[in-house]
Structure formats: C-alpha cells, structure tokens
Amino acid sequence: MRVTILNNQNKQGTRILFISKDEIQNSEYKEKLEKYNFKGKGAFFLQDEEILFVGLDKCSKNINNYEESVAIALKSLKSLNIANVYVDISHLGEQTKYIIAQAFLLAGYEFNQFKSEKNVEIDIKINLNGIDSKIINELSIIADSVNIARDIVNTPPNIANSTYLAQMAKELSKDINNVTIDIHSNDFLEKEKMGAFLAVNQGSTSPAYLVHLQYKPTNKRKISKKIVLVGKGLVYDTGGLSLKPADYMTTMKADKGGACAVMSSFIAMAKMQLDVEIHAIMGITDNAIGSKSYRPDDVIYSREGKSIEVRNTDAEGRLVLVDCLSYAQDLKPDILIDFATLTGACVVALGEYTAGVMGHSDELKNDFVKSAMQVNELAHTLPFNRHLKKLLDSKIADICNISSARYGGAITAGLFLSNFIRDEYKSKWLHVDIAGPAFVEKEWGINPYGASGVGVRSCISFVKNNI
Ligand code: BES
Ligand code: ZN
Ligand code: ZN
C-alpha cells in the first residue's frame, strides 16, 4: 500500500478515532460500541457514522502504543478498501503527533517485489488535522529513507551482492546537493593496508567495497560539527569456514543492515540539508566459503597496525569494522558512530527489539538512547568493563577476534572495536549493535516481517539533537 499524509483541514472521507477502553465509557458512541462489543482492542468500523474506531492501550504512558494502533488502522483500511481518511490529532502533544505521523508513513510498508501475484495496490490518503506541514515534509524524507533501507536489506543475496549495494549508494546519492561519493575497492583496501577487511573478502567471488559518502553544506560558517558514520555491510554472512548452522544462516542477508542504516540516514540528512558535515562509510563484502577463504588460526594485520589472531571466521563484522573505523578516524570526527548487526549475544542480552549502545562516554551513550526513544526506536546501553577486555588476549598476536569466554559476547565485540579506537577518539565514539531489531521474524509495532530499517530514525534524531 502507498500512504500519503496531507494536512489541510479537510474532514472528508472516513474518520479514524483512536480510543481506549476507558474513553469508550464517556464517548458519545458508547451505546453503539457496546452493542457491537467493541472494547478498545483491534479496530471496528461503524458504517453509519463512517468512523473507524481503533483501540488504544492507554494503561501505560508509552507513546509506542500509538504505533501499534496506527498499524492496526492501516490494516483495517486496506481490508475495508477505504482510501480517504482523516484523523484529528490537534489535541495531542507535539511528540505524539510526530510518532503518529511517522507510524502512518512506516507501518504500511510491504515487500512484494518477488511475488508473481501482487496484492491490489491501495493508495491511502490520510488527512492529519493539527500537524505542521514542515514536520510532514521532514517525516516523509525520513520515512522514504527507512523504506529504502528496508527494501535493500530485504533484497536477497543472489541479487544484492557487494557491487549491487555499492551501486545503490551511488544511485541514491546522485542528485543530492553538496554530496559526493567515493567507491573504493580491493586495490585501494590493499594500498590502505586494510588486512582485516580484506581477509573477510578472501573467499568471495565479489569484490569488497569501502563506500565513502560525504555531505558538506554550502554555508561552511554554520557547520558546527563533523559526524562520521560507519556501517557493517555484510551482504551475506555464511560464517565462513567457521560455518553457521543452517538455522542460523537464514536471514543473514540482513547482515548489511548497518551499512544500509548509515546510507539511508546520510541520504535523509543530506536531503534535509542539515548544518553539519556528515560522512557515511559502508564496509561492504560477503563472508563466503571458497578455496581462498581466511581460516581460523590465521593472523592478519589491521590498518591500525595491530595483529589479530582469527579464531572464528564468523566474527567477521568486527574485522571489517576496525579497518573502516581506522579510515574514519583519519577524517578527524567530532562524533563517530558505527552501526552493525554484530552479535547474536546482543539479541540474547536485550531481546529482539532493542539495539545495544556501547562506548566510553556515558553522556554520548545516554544521549543516543534518549534520541532513539524520542522517535520510538528501542535502545539500551551495555557497559564495558576491564574484566571482559582481557578475554580478548591472544597468545600469539596483539588481540584475538573472539572472546575466550562464552558470556558477554555483545560487550566483548564492542571492546574488540574499542581496541582500534585511538585515545583521542575514545570518548567521541559510539557502537550500536542492531543484530536484534534489524530483521523482524514476527511482526511488531510498525514492522511487518522482514527488514525494519532500524537505526535510521535514531541516527537522524541523534544528529539533529547534536548540531
Ligand atoms: N552477523 C552475525 C551476528 C548476528 C547474529 C546478526 C544474529 C543478526 C542476528 C555475526 O557476524 C556473527 O556471526 N557473530 C557471532 C560472533 C561469535 C562467533 C563470537 C555470533 O554472534 O555468534
Ligand atoms: Zn558472522
Ligand atoms: Zn555478520
């Protein structure tokens, strides 16, 4: 379905009314709703009044509930084949309005490119009474970008190979003012001594790419900061020679979620022409099996000069990231953030819905979590500690690519990255593990099955709060 938001004051078509169980009691429609046994759960279409009632769980103060209600509303509109609706949200607070509008633009997402029989397309026009048109414009840019990230992450690995992803970045950034792109491949990575990144690419039949997108606003005097984003772009992760079991390999097309998140955030922020210099670096390859694959027991050299003992080729994301982070630090960032579907352990720790935020600055971490929550993406901090750090010690190299202990895997992965962050950038760096929310196995909130586009909204919100 396509969803467009309008904000003229028209009250034509079907009305959507979000209503909680308690509110039904004081509603002028109480009798009718009770007659049809609508108790504030799901949706109910009252035909004679032309109102779609949508249940709202107001017991908790979480604005999240609106997202779920909006998703229910869109599903009902689709099944009732209603395309013109209005909702009065003028009585609500600014943040709630924002969340509702955002949910309308995101909850209707469908990925049916590979279905021979497509569902009937419905073009739903929602008139939101009481929201500023500037907000709608900004939200449309952001939602389009989230949906682009979802599309690319959903695209299967036999189509979305490394070259496809690099070309997508080029295509999508081409007509935006003040944007340039450099697409570097294996020769460049060799020249830059990115031995960790190259090791992961060794078994692949496709090249590795480091894509560097830059946005430098015209009015240089207004630029307050330089923000550098780095994303893990594993177009497929078989695990390499430390092969993943079959059940864990499916959905690994989503291992490019970090790179897609930084690319999409970048595109949205460049389109918004924010007063901040932004770089997005995507580390793109697959982790494949071949006669040239890197092995457990190999020792490789990273761009920062440290040697790494590979003990598990499935811990590949961190190898790609450390070389990209090294390149990123040369850009002298004021803030450096990486997004990656890095560890299954992060999903164990926080559940499937929440991103894990790590780093050395409490202020930065808390800022990020707050920014994410403002736009309804769930994020929580995970604490570094020195006891976990020593689990990465190697007997033969400077560091090992996996921890010697079973527990705390999300944090030890973060600490591995931290080893390659120079002292001057330690407190400017954040690592966001999105392994849980990047791919949705069972739909929730505004997310249908498949890629969620997670990270885009948080990243933009964080940057906007930090200009
Ligand atoms: N891409 C995976 C992490 C992942 C797991 C993402 C589940 C999304 C959902 C990553 O490359 C990986 O395989 N990590 C290993 C690390 C281990 C070998 C130390 C893991 O989490 O098992
Ligand atoms: Zn892996
Ligand atoms: Zn991976």
Side-chain angles (χ1 to χ4, degrees):
M1 82 179 77
R2 270 177 50 83
V3 178
T4 316
I5 295 191
L6 313 165
N7 76 328
N8 49 48
Q9 293 305 312
N10 272 354
K11 294 192 169 173
Q12 278 161 4
T14 299
R15 177 181 178 197
I16 297 179
L17 196 58
F18 295 110
I19 194 162
S20 68
K21 196 174 164 197
D22 296 343
E23 284 165 346
I24 293 177
Q25 297 311 311
N26 305 318
S27 156
E28 57 184 298
Y29 306 103
K30 179 174 185 266
E31 271 173 35
K32 285 185 177 171
L33 292 178
E34 280 178 352
K35 183 174 151 203
Y36 291 105
N37 208 22
F38 178 72
K39 293 191 174 136
K41 273 216 154 71
F44 168 66
F45 184 48
L46 188 57
Q47 207 160 358
D48 49 347
E49 301 277 357
E50 240 196 295
I51 301 177
L52 178 70
F53 290 90
V54 183
L56 185 65
D57 176 8
K58 270 206 176 154
C59 294
S60 86
K61 280 196 183 136
N62 200 340
I63 44 173
N64 227 337
N65 302 328
Y66 271 103
E67 285 202 337
E68 252 122 64
S69 302
V70 167
I72 292 169
L74 285 178
K75 277 196 191 114
S76 305
L77 293 175
K78 190 178 171 185
S79 64
L80 293 161
N81 202 19
I82 298 174
N84 286 304
V85 289
Y86 71 93
V87 197
D88 187 1
I89 55 169
S90 53
H91 57 292
L92 298 169
E94 289 310 308
Q95 203 194 347
T96 313
K97 288 180 185 175
Y98 190 93
I99 295 298
I100 291 174
Q102 179 180 258
F104 270 116
L105 292 168
L106 291 174
Y109 175 80
E110 288 164 333
F111 184 72
N112 51 20
Q113 216 177 301
F114 296 94
K115 289 264 189 202
S116 309
E117 267 181 43
K118 308 250 188 297
N119 295 339
V120 189
E121 268 295 314
I122 177 165
D123 204 342
I124 300 179
K125 301 221 163 21
I126 316 254
N127 221 316
L128 277 187
N129 302 151
I131 191 164
D132 199 54
S133 63
K134 264 208 204 124
I135 294 178
I136 300 292
N137 291 344
E138 184 183 301
L139 273 174
S140 302
I141 294 176
I142 296 172
D144 284 349
S145 283
V146 173
N147 289 336
I148 286 171
R150 284 166 156 180
D151 273 346
I152 301 176
V153 174
N154 277 328
T155 303
N158 55 333
I159 294 170
N161 60 14
S162 59
T163 307
Y164 176 98
L165 184 50
Q167 285 306 314
M168 268 297 183
K170 189 173 175 185
E171 185 63 34
L172 292 165
S173 60
K174 75 171 184 242
D175 291 324
I176 311 175
N177 277 347
N178 305 320
V179 166
T180 57
I181 182 167
D182 292 299
I183 300 181
H184 300 298
S185 194
N186 296 56
D187 293 350
F188 177 87
L189 305 190
E190 258 151 45
K191 210 174 81 222
E192 290 285 319
K193 299 194 164 47
M194 296 187 167
F197 189 167
L198 281 165
V200 177
N201 180 246
Q202 259 170 229
S204 178
T205 50
S206 304
Y209 294 100
L210 185 151
V211 173
H212 181 176
L213 289 154
Q214 301 190 45
Y215 163 70
K216 292 184 180 167
T218 322
N219 189 348
K220 288 218 169 67
R221 260 172 305 155
K222 273 198 179 164
I223 302 176
S224 53
K225 275 181 188 152
K226 188 191 286 186
I227 296 189
V228 180
L229 310 169
V230 174
K232 171 180 172 183
L234 261 286
V235 289
Y236 203 69
D237 181 10
T238 64
L241 290 177
S242 314
L243 188 66
K244 281 185 186 294
D247 284 353
Y248 289 87
M249 202 187 296
T250 29
T251 76
M252 279 304 139
K253 65 174 182 180
D255 216 17
K256 55 187 177 308
C260 294
V262 304
M263 180 194 72
S264 278
S265 310
F266 174 93
I267 286 168
M269 293 188 286
K271 282 187 177 164
M272 286 151 68
Q273 295 283 306
L274 297 184
D275 289 327
V276 59
E277 182 175 327
I278 310 169
H279 297 251
I281 293 152
M282 305 157 74
I284 306 174
T285 176
D286 62 337
N287 185 19
I289 291 192
S291 55
K292 293 186 182 154
S293 289
Y294 78 133
R295 295 158 288 243
D297 283 343
D298 280 355
V299 173
I300 56 184
Y301 278 91
S302 65
R303 187 177 186 270
E304 285 293 293
K306 287 193 182 182
S307 60
I308 305 168
E309 179 191 358
V310 177
R311 289 180 72 91
N312 190 318
T313 61
D314 197 12
E316 84 299 337
R318 61 195 77 182
L319 301 176
V320 171
L321 284 177
V322 292
D323 280 346
C324 291
L325 284 165
S326 165
Y327 176 93
Q329 289 169 84
D330 286 359
L331 298 169
K332 302 187 168 55
D334 294 300
I335 296 177
L336 172 61
I337 317 177
D338 73 75
F339 290 84
T341 47
L342 205 62
T343 63
C346 195
V347 195
V348 174
L350 295 172
E352 287 169 274
Y353 311 104
T354 306
V357 182
M358 288 159 257
H360 295 281
S361 158
D362 286 340
E363 195 187 334
L364 219 53
K365 284 190 287 182
N366 294 335
D367 261 14
F368 188 89
V369 170
K370 215 169 117 197
S371 304
M373 296 306 224
Q374 275 171 1
V375 288
N376 247 350
E377 284 195 330
L378 302 177
H380 207 287
T381 57
L382 291 173
F384 283 163
N385 72 58
R386 64 196 158 83
H387 306 294
L388 288 168
K389 187 169 182 256
K390 62 177 181 284
L391 300 175
L392 294 164
D393 288 349
S394 162
K395 291 208 164 51
I396 62 161
D398 298 333
I399 191 168
C400 199
N401 84 324
I402 54 163
S403 159
S404 56
R406 186 195 294 267
Y407 305 113
I411 300 175
T412 48
L415 285 167
F416 178 87
L417 301 179
S418 166
N419 256 278
F420 298 81
I421 304 291
R422 301 166 205 158
D423 284 345
E424 55 186 308
Y425 295 110
K426 281 256 190 320
S427 63
K428 298 178 175 173
W429 164 69
L430 278 180
H431 160 55
V432 185
D433 192 332
I434 54 168
F439 197 83
V440 177
E441 303 254 25
K442 248 176 81 194
E443 62 173 46
W444 56 278
I446 52 156
N447 298 306
Y449 171 85
S452 65
V454 72
V456 178
R457 288 185 280 158
S458 318
C459 179
I460 299 169
S461 169
F462 177 80
V463 171
K464 276 172 59 194
N465 287 340
N466 272 281
I467 296 176

